[in-house]
Amino acid sequence: MKRPRRRFLYLGASAAALAAVSRMARAQTYPTRPIRLVIPFPPGGAFDAVGRPLADKMKPLLGTVVVENIGGGGASLGAAAVARARPDGYTILLGGTQTHVNEALLKSRPLYDPVKDLDPIAGVAANVLCIAVHPAVPVQTLAELIAYAKANPGKLSYGHSGVGSIQHLAGELFKSLAGTPEIVQVPYRGTGPVITDLAGGQIPIGLPGVTGQVLELHRSGRMRVLAVTSLTRLVAAPELPTAAELGFPGMTVTGSIGLLAPAGTPIGIIEQIAQASRTAVAEPAYQQMLIEAGIEPTLDSSPEKFRGSLAADVALWTPVVKALGLKID
């Protein structure tokens, strides 16, 4: 009886060792073809501002990185596509707070489990939002916007990047804090279309993520940024007040942006991509580009640090979602 058991244990250990060697071998030969980086929003917006130059910066270490925009569902459709992909390192996601909070808190029938179906690779940046209006709205300050909304119930609407998005949550949170429940929410398929329609006057209010494009439109007079949701004023736009200093400390909203892979991706490949990401973010030119766009680079991240950051984001938004009673399905 002992001999067969020893042989069984030996065979089991051998199989495990072979599997480990196989995973190591895959990591050592990776990559051998282009890597697909999915951005779960249409072109435009903070994710594009971070992801497209990041893909270029990682090419010397990983080879060709092809960006693919898959918008819809407040980032759910693109993230779900990555969650279902083969865990071989050739399909990765630029996700973060958005992709985790949406599925974890807002859906009774999520398209994927953000914790079980996606493995964090590394954080890249942190993005804040802004409360902006089209110049046709007769207000110059956040206080004036609130007063105008109260005096004109049901006549104002705000655009956001998708139902369940951080922009949507922040917009509903602002309505609650400001006592302006009549402002109507209008979902888009990403930040890019929100910015386009806000600058064009098709939507009076927007809560886009701050980017260089948003700051340029503000400075050119095509939209008016009334407040940003950062803890302190932005280095790139110190003239813009924070919502907190205008009396809304509860509107301090920051979203993390980083890389994730399908669950089960070999750890060697995860670390290889993480190292390429750290190298890219450490480049002064890339950091400066992000800072000038109002986006804060995340330095020296790792799979463990990014996992902890995402867990903290979900914990932060849980009571807010519960208090607002939001569900999107």
Side-chain angles (χ1 to χ4, degrees), residues 135-149:
V137 181
V139 302
Q140 298 293 324
T141 67
L142 194 61
E144 289 179 2
L145 173 62
I146 294 169
Y148 185 79

Side-chain angles (χ1 to χ4, degrees), residues 228-251:
V228 294
T229 66
S230 50
L231 183 62
T232 59
R233 294 198 178 200
L234 300 176
V235 173
E239 73 277 10
L240 298 177
T242 67
E245 69 184 85
L246 296 177
F248 295 92
M251 276 298 295

